[in-house]
Amino acid sequence: MELQLSRRAATPNAAAQRATRRIFLVAGLGMAAWAPLIPFSKSRLGIDDGTLGLLLFCIAAGSMLLMPFSGRLIARFGCRALIVACVATLCADLPAIVAATSLPVMAAALFVFGAANGLLDVAMNAQAVVVERESGQPRMSGFHGLYSIGSIAGAGGVSVLLAAGVAPLHAVLAVVLVIAIAALPAAGDLLPRRAPEGERPAGTFKALLHPGLLPIALLCFLMFLIEGAMLDWSAVFLHTERGVDQRHAGFGFTLYSIVVALGRMVGDRIVDGIGSRRTLVLGSLAAAAGLLLIVTVDRAGAALAGFMLAGAGLANIVPVLFTRAGNQPDVPSAAALPAVTLLGYAGLLCGPALIGQVARQFNLTAAFAAAAVAVLAVALLAPRITR
């Protein structure tokens, strides 16, 4: 059975929709700006892949320690206050990450980075659910598409600046300026203090055990794990495995992000045309094919094409999963969405560390091959979560 929101001729909350789009945009911008800088940080600190993976785990630690409290924070302070605080923290922390010259300082900066991103991810998705419901129209793919556009701007913009010889610190300061300019006008139209849909934000961990929600949450974990691999390891893979200069290695994630953004911008029409189940199955198969292309053909051009094919396949899987989670008949969305987000971003933030350990034991090629196998779980479970 396909779940559809009723369509209305009017758009009663246009300002809230615009504000939500801006926040998804700056969230993607801030997160992806880090990707092209990873090889520089790795070289500056003089660490190997395994140590880098453990260092990146600090992002996961910061996020996962605070994310379980996100529902209570939203209920007490509102989406607006939490989102503004997280965006301000990111603007202060990004330069600290780039300037870090020791492992303890880098670990602390990445911990804060993870905490701010984790809370922001939950808060902006809570905002998106309410705005979508109040508009009476499908909006989730569009919101996530703006996140992808932010990723393009972050990864691509920083990559261009680095390729032009701009110092990493100056490049990230430019990103901070853009984030501030984009986010400030949105603050007044974000949701004030209230729990989404008036529901209590309790029961997040209990919701994960619900038989209808658990497979969705597990698939979110796998999909975000793969996204984390793309974010944190695509540039390293292209540089170390395919010989791409580190100044240009960030373009792999940029191409991936472009295709994801384009796919999500037409995502609602794709789902309306072929249905949620086929969207999940075909997307899973395309993503697996792209990842296999990356690891089986020893050419930089083939790897770039693989990143694009993987992006096309992955583009609409997560928005469909979020829609299914938010429409569970006997699980309040105030519990279901934080639960799915929590487990999903556990994959996003823990995934890079897992990839690093696989790379240490084998190599990055084996790590990306494992991701190709993992994405096929979507095709296997799609009939269960869309019936």
Side-chain angles (χ1 to χ4, degrees):
M1 180 180 67
E2 297 294 333
L3 297 172
Q4 295 182 347
L5 295 172
S6 60
R7 295 183 178 273
R8 301 174 186 172
T11 304
N13 61 347
Q17 291 183 43
R18 287 194 297 269
T20 307
R21 293 188 185 100
R22 282 176 175 263
I23 295 305
F24 272 80
L25 179 71
V26 300
L29 178 64
M31 189 69 176
W34 160 237
L37 297 166
I38 293 175
F40 288 87
S41 296
K42 182 172 180 283
S43 298
R44 186 175 66 252
L45 296 171
I47 56 178
D48 60 15
D49 288 344
T51 303
L52 177 61
L54 291 174
L55 190 61
L56 293 173
F57 187 76
C58 293
I59 300 177
S63 180
M64 302 309 294
L65 284 175
L66 292 183
M67 195 179 290
F69 302 101
S70 57
R72 294 180 183 179
L73 290 172
I74 292 170
R76 181 171 182 178
F77 300 106
C79 289
R80 177 191 300 160
L82 187 56
I83 289 172
V84 170
C86 290
V87 171
T89 301
L90 287 177
C91 287
D93 190 57
L94 277 169
I97 293 174
V98 175
T101 56
S102 68
L103 286 176
V105 173
M106 176 65 87
L110 291 178
F111 182 91
V112 174
F113 185 68
N117 272 294
L119 291 175
L120 179 59
D121 285 328
V122 177
M124 71 184 188
N125 275 290
Q127 162 98 12
V129 168
V130 177
V131 170
E132 182 182 55
R133 293 283 178 84
E134 292 181 350
S135 73
Q137 300 172 341
R139 296 299 187 201
M140 190 62 74
S141 286
F143 292 146
H144 282 255
L146 265 295
Y147 182 93
S148 299
I149 289 177
S151 296
I152 296 168
V158 172
S159 294
V160 169
L161 290 175
L162 293 174
V166 176
L169 180 59
H170 294 161
V172 84
L173 287 175
V175 171
V176 167
L177 179 62
V178 173
I179 289 175
I181 292 173
L184 283 175
D189 293 317
L190 297 173
L191 296 178
R193 178 181 175 181
R194 60 169 170 153
E197 305 173 42
E199 299 165 350
R200 296 179 60 188
T204 296
F205 293 103
K206 184 178 179 180
L208 281 174
L209 301 178
H210 187 274
L213 192 65
L214 181 58
I216 298 174
L218 291 175
L219 289 181
C220 281
F221 176 85
L222 290 176
M223 295 307 99
F224 279 79
L225 186 153
I226 294 171
E227 183 175 333
M230 295 293 187
L231 173 64
D232 288 334
W233 288 103
S234 59
V236 178
F237 178 88
L238 286 172
H239 176 57
T240 61
E241 304 294 324
R242 297 295 180 259
V244 177
D245 188 281
Q246 65 179 6
R247 293 175 300 174
H248 306 133
F251 286 112
F253 184 72
T254 303
L255 291 174
Y256 164 83
S257 299
I258 289 172
V259 175
V260 169
L262 293 175
R264 286 177 175 173
M265 287 303 176
V266 297
D268 291 328
R269 281 179 284 178
I270 291 174
V271 175
D272 286 340
I274 67 175
S276 298
R277 182 177 302 180
R278 289 183 179 178
T279 300
L280 292 175
V281 172
L282 295 177
S284 171
L285 296 176
L291 289 166
L292 288 175
L293 180 60
I294 292 170
V295 301
T296 56
V297 181
D298 189 12
R299 292 182 180 274
L304 293 175
F307 283 123
M308 295 174 67
L309 181 56
L314 293 171
N316 290 300
I317 292 178
V318 169
V320 169
L321 293 176
F322 269 66
T323 296
R324 305 303 299 191
N327 285 281
Q328 291 297 305
D330 50 357
V331 181
S333 63
L337 285 168
V340 169
T341 303
L342 177 65
L343 201 57
Y345 281 91
L348 176 66
L349 299 171
C350 296
L354 296 176
I355 293 293
Q357 293 310 304
V358 174
R360 169 177 277 180
Q361 295 298 321
F362 303 98
N363 51 45
L364 276 176
T365 299
F368 276 85
V373 176
V375 76
L376 293 176
V378 176
L380 295 175
L381 290 176
R384 176 177 177 180
I385 66 177
T386 58
R387 63 189 177 196

